[in-house]
Amino acid sequence: MRKICVIGTGYVGLVTGTCFADLGNQVTCLDIAPDKIEKLQRGEMPIYEPGLEELVARNVAGKRLTFTTSYPDAVPGAEFIFIAVGTPSGVDGEADLQYVRMAAESVADVMTNYTIIINKSTVPVGTGDSVAEILRERGKQPGVDFDVVSNPEFLREGSAMFDFQMPDRVVLGSTNRAAAEKVAQLYLPLRCSIMITDLRTAEMIKYASNAFLATRISFINEIATICEKLGADVKEVAAGMGMDKRIGRAFLDAGVGYGGSCFPKDVKALTWMAEINGCHPQMLRAVMEINRDQRRQAVTKLRDLLGTLRGKTIAVWGVAFKPNTDDVRESPALDIVHILQTEGAHIRAYDPVAVENARKISHGIQFCDSAYTAAENADAVVLVTEWNEFKNLDFERVAATMKNKILIDGRNIYDAERMQAFGFTYRGVGRGYGSS
Ligand code: UDX
């Protein structure tokens, strides 16, 4: 049993702290936001993540997991301190490290024993060195030693617990291999592959992995656009490609593009790091450009079918950036809504869990209590987030209440012929000519 402190109780920090507690460690999760900590102390989750509430409750009951806002309470005595705070995009796309710096400074002020500081947040290459610098300069207690380790997370929202407990690999980087090996001990119960490398390489593995996944998505989206001109079906193309073991099927689903708090931010940050170091990341720029255009293509299909969007009512199914999360950051749905609204369309939308978060960063959307009510009297429906509950609706009922039976399938979850049999004018992404 080790004594662990996790700083930051967002998607990464709360899952990491809870899962380490579930492995038998003594974990304190710290956040500077009192409301978040008060909610957690009442057993309420600040985020939607399937299975998290139950795992938190079990480990709080087992007295392995506590929550605090106090560094003096959480840091002294901790052997491992994970920094899992936000690193939002700055104006030029660079990662904003103010919260990482604040966390490192707060730790340095109260550290009383040898501690291993672990960067779990996605941080630009070289941040580990900066954190070490802060700890060296700011350390109040003479003679208190520390090491810094990079341990990037590879958690997908909506399956974060699974991804923590069944990782493809754990990546650890440090200037002191012994420190990385101590952190590796924490992961031994997971019986997974553990890679130990240097600090900067570990930080780069995270960015390169996310940028590659984003590249796969923009690649298949570009192929989808070509399929619409050449009369091929991109879903079949992806299936045929994926049979090649060198390619694999994952992350080849064409659609309205990627969103979330990671891919958009990480590709931008990697591009920024490359550019300020004199590189010309053409591919990364193209990945972002294609991703932006995918959202616009959905609007173009609507405009082509309706003639004009002014005064039309468009139903949007799904506002979360992907299913099984309430996260709406960089959500394709909200980008599409914004374009539709600027062209004068009225929006009715439904999402199983993300409506509250969507309300905070959008305006003028009429949120409905189901996919059916959202579609009532609509001129078109746009499926943007592939929640399971959208896959087998009563489409006769949907068609009967719509003014125009137009269905834009932004995630290719429907069968074109089946939808056309219900009377819909169907448009997918890359599903053949014009994608009808
Ligand atoms: C991602 C990485 O997968 C994870 O390893 C990293 O730690 C954090 O960022 P996440 O952003 O939670 O995880 O979701 P993910 O499932 O990767 O999807 C990201 C976006 O890509 C979503 O908007 C999704 O709709 C989109 N996507 C995914 C596609 O458009 N096509 C695909 O084939 C796969």
Side-chain angles (χ1 to χ4, degrees), residues 59-358:
N59 284 282
V60 167
K63 302 201 182 326
R64 290 184 296 274
L65 181 60
T66 55
F67 301 103
T68 182
T69 57
S70 160
Y71 278 93
D73 289 351
V75 168
E79 301 165 82
F80 301 92
I81 298 183
F82 285 85
I83 297 180
V85 296
T87 53
S89 287
V91 284
D92 298 326
E94 81 279 18
D96 179 349
L97 294 176
Q98 62 172 310
Y99 302 113
V100 172
R101 266 195 292 278
M102 280 164 57
E105 288 165 358
S106 304
V107 166
D109 288 349
V110 294
M111 208 164 58
T112 57
N113 51 278
Y114 170 69
T115 309
I116 297 178
I117 315 296
I118 303 127
N119 271 337
K120 188 57 103 166
S121 299
T122 304
V123 292
V125 176
T127 303
D129 297 331
S130 313
V131 167
E133 199 55 41
I134 291 169
L135 291 160
R136 246 192 308 280
E137 281 171 10
R138 179 108 173 192
K140 290 275 189 295
Q141 316 286 337
V144 173
D145 202 2
F146 66 88
D147 277 301
V148 174
V149 172
S150 166
N151 174 209
E153 53 86 14
F154 298 103
L155 307 178
R156 291 166 296 167
E157 289 181 25
S159 53
M161 240 89 66
F162 174 85
D163 291 341
F164 182 97
Q165 290 156 349
M166 307 284 283
D168 289 337
R169 78 302 202 187
V170 168
V171 172
L172 299 167
S174 183
T175 51
N176 176 353
R177 184 176 179 85
E181 283 166 357
K182 285 194 179 77
V183 179
Q185 298 288 322
L186 295 175
Y187 288 99
L188 286 187
L190 302 181
R191 300 180 191 286
C192 60
S193 306
I194 297 179
M195 174 186 184
I196 295 181
T197 181
D198 63 82
L199 255 179
R200 286 174 174 254
T201 301
E203 291 163 342
M204 188 61 182
I205 288 169
K206 169 66 184 179
Y207 277 104
S209 299
N210 267 10
F212 180 71
L213 292 169
T215 300
R216 278 179 76 102
I217 295 167
S218 283
F219 174 80
I220 201 64
N221 283 333
E222 178 143 77
I223 294 296
T225 301
I226 299 167
C227 283
E228 292 185 4
K229 302 297 180 191
L230 301 181
D233 180 345
V234 74
K235 281 189 84 166
E236 297 289 290
V237 169
M241 289 170 65
M243 290 174 184
D244 182 325
K245 282 193 291 296
R246 296 168 304 170
I247 299 174
R249 180 58 187 78
F251 281 74
L252 285 179
D253 295 324
V256 289
Y258 60 78
S261 62
C262 295
F263 285 171
K265 170 176 72 72
D266 293 354
V267 176
K268 249 187 262 178
L270 183 56
T271 302
W272 176 78
M273 279 183 256
E275 287 171 345
I276 62 164
N277 285 283
C279 302
H280 304 287
Q282 300 97 315
M283 183 177 283
L284 295 175
R285 287 199 200 105
V287 166
M288 293 188 281
E289 198 178 312
I290 292 167
N291 193 53
R292 188 196 57 231
D293 291 348
Q294 282 307 105
R295 289 133 159 88
R296 294 177 178 167
Q297 280 191 23
V299 177
T300 301
K301 286 171 181 159
L302 280 170
R303 197 187 300 113
D304 290 350
L305 289 166
L306 289 167
T308 174
L309 292 167
R310 185 156 301 286
K312 303 294 184 196
T313 298
I314 311 295
V316 174
W317 286 349
V319 291
F321 83 89
K322 70 172 201 174
N324 302 316
T325 180
D326 63 350
D327 197 343
V328 294
R329 287 175 287 184
E330 303 283 334
S331 166
L334 296 182
D335 290 341
I336 289 169
V337 162
H338 180 70
I339 303 170
L340 291 171
Q341 287 176 323
T342 52
E343 296 197 23
H346 304 299
I347 308 299
R348 296 164 63 87
Y350 167 72
D351 187 284
V353 300
V355 168
E356 280 325 302
N357 285 335

Side-chain angles (χ1 to χ4, degrees), residues 19-55:
C19 289
F20 270 132
D22 207 50
L23 291 178
N25 299 292
Q26 191 62 43
V27 178
T28 301
C29 285
L30 180 150
D31 203 296
I32 55 173
D35 57 323
K36 268 191 180 179
I37 294 300
E38 284 154 19
K39 271 185 91 163
L40 283 163
Q41 286 168 338
R42 291 196 303 270
E44 295 166 28
M45 296 300 109
I47 57 170
Y48 175 88
E49 184 64 41
L52 181 61
E53 186 163 0
E54 186 230 336
L55 205 63

